[in-house]
Amino acid sequence: MGVNAARARVSVAELRPGAEVDGVFACTRKERLTARNGSAYLSLALRDRSGTIAARAFREADFLAGQFERGDLVWVGGRVERFRDELQIEVRAIRRADAVALDPAEFLPSAYRDIDELDGFLEHLAREVYDPDWRRLLDSFMGDEAFRAGLRRAACTRTGHHAYLGGLLEHTVAVATLAQEACTLHPRLNSDLLLTAALLHDVGKLREFEYGAEIGLSQEGRLVGHLALGQQMVAERCAGLGGFPPEKALAVSHCLLGHHGPEALPGRRFGSAEALALYRINALDAGVKGALEHGLAA
């Protein structure tokens, strides 16, 4: 039975030694271990958007383990202690919380950059597209309040680059900005096509992920993936606009399907310089951001 989500919560960042804990957290690690005396205990990691703290349950470990799973939002009762110069929670009680009324933003990491500022950059970049058809396509997305709200909230990946709420908007703005610069350096590129594709290249991620204690894959994400979902979303918009030139819809779709590399394309080859450029630009931002967040790969 779930715990009432209205229970007052204290953030991880506010926890101090000796403090009583009575709140809801995301459980991101759950291990059943054996102490030196042979008794079982639970080793946990609990998280909210302010940080992560270790937790241990030494009493009734097997009973408590049956009350929740890793990835659940859990109510925790216990006390904060210091162990080897690190804070941890000594857990007395823990069970699955009622997630229906809880906002995932309370438990998932969020973008460091200002979301309103990023949203303003997005609008500015969309206005840099002058082709009337591609501008109509972008306007149909930009004028959709549900789409804009989803983009402001969405993560870009689950555990890689920009793996936090607002990360998709941050990455989209970065890729579109780099695309605009590439067109200045290479004026033979079709800037309207490349910028449109850059702004829309990851829209499928709005349907690829779902949010709770962790960033998870939706059924669509598991079975189809964001490349095909994004191409489908763009094709549906084009069809709904009426009179949208098929060749322009195909040009954008080609860029979207190939932005992770030519392997997803017929013949495993790029059909336009703009598609190649988007692939390289996307990889540049993802790679640099990943290195800054997680370090350089060995």
Side-chain angles (χ1 to χ4, degrees):
M1 184 174 180
V3 176
N4 190 332
R7 186 187 297 272
R9 296 192 299 275
V10 61
S11 73
V12 168
E14 295 171 322
L15 294 176
R16 297 292 183 268
E20 291 295 317
V21 176
D22 179 3
V24 178
F25 305 89
C27 177
T28 59
R29 190 185 75 246
K30 175 188 177 185
E31 297 178 297
R32 183 185 183 277
L33 302 177
T34 303
R36 290 182 180 179
N37 63 6
S39 62
Y41 71 96
L42 289 181
S43 175
L44 311 171
L46 304 175
R47 184 193 64 206
D48 62 19
R49 63 181 176 184
S50 73
T52 300
I53 187 169
R56 304 285 188 272
F58 292 100
R59 296 183 179 180
E60 300 184 303
D62 290 330
F63 170 76
L64 294 178
Q67 306 303 302
F68 69 100
E69 297 296 336
R70 188 195 68 81
D72 284 341
L73 296 178
V74 293
W75 170 81
V76 177
R79 181 180 174 86
V80 180
E81 304 289 352
R82 187 176 293 278
F83 178 70
R84 294 178 180 173
D85 293 326
E86 299 288 340
L87 295 184
Q88 70 172 24
I89 299 174
E90 297 292 335
V91 176
R92 292 192 293 265
I94 182 170
R95 53 191 180 273
R96 184 179 294 110
D98 179 5
V100 174
L102 292 168
D103 183 356
E106 294 290 330
F107 306 96
L108 293 170
S110 300
Y112 300 108
R113 296 184 60 184
D114 184 87
I115 292 296
D116 290 333
E117 181 181 56
L118 288 169
D119 201 48
F121 285 141
L122 183 80
E123 289 194 357
H124 168 75
L125 290 161
R127 289 195 295 268
E128 293 296 303
V129 173
Y130 299 102
D131 177 273
D133 295 307
W134 283 320
R135 182 63 177 270
R136 277 199 303 153
L137 175 61
L138 286 175
D139 286 346
S140 74
F141 280 100
M142 297 299 156
D144 184 333
E145 291 184 5
F147 170 81
R148 293 290 290 276
L151 189 61
R152 289 169 63 96
R153 184 180 182 84
C156 192
T157 65
R158 297 174 65 200
T159 58
H161 68 95
H162 300 88
Y164 44 78
L165 301 184
L168 181 57
L169 177 58
E170 186 177 326
H171 174 63
T172 298
V173 167
V175 170
T177 300
L178 290 169
Q180 191 175 44
E181 293 298 321
C183 291
T184 300
L185 294 170
H186 302 283
R188 291 174 61 188
L189 288 169
N190 185 325
S191 62
D192 288 330
L193 169 58
L194 181 54
L195 192 51
T196 298
L199 289 165
L200 299 178
H201 78 283
D202 267 346
V203 293
K205 291 187 175 183
L206 294 178
R207 290 165 54 181
E208 184 175 39
F209 300 134
E210 57 188 23
Y211 304 94
E214 298 179 299
I215 302 168
L217 284 174
S218 66
Q219 185 176 20
E220 289 180 300
R222 287 191 298 272
L223 298 180
V224 179
H226 78 277
L227 297 181
L229 289 171
Q231 188 274 333
Q232 179 185 343
M233 291 168 68
V234 169
E236 289 171 352
R237 294 274 178 168
C238 290
L241 291 173
F244 196 91
E247 66 276 10
K248 290 184 177 179
L250 286 173
V252 174
S253 291
H254 179 74
C255 290
L256 264 62
L257 289 173
H259 80 263
H260 278 191
E263 293 78 12
L265 298 171
R268 306 170 78 87
R269 297 179 60 185
F270 290 113
S272 69
E274 291 76 19
L276 170 63
L278 180 60
Y279 162 57
R280 296 296 188 186
I281 290 166
N282 177 71
L284 172 62
D285 184 61
V288 171
K289 183 66 171 179
L292 292 173
E293 292 178 334
H294 306 296
L296 296 170

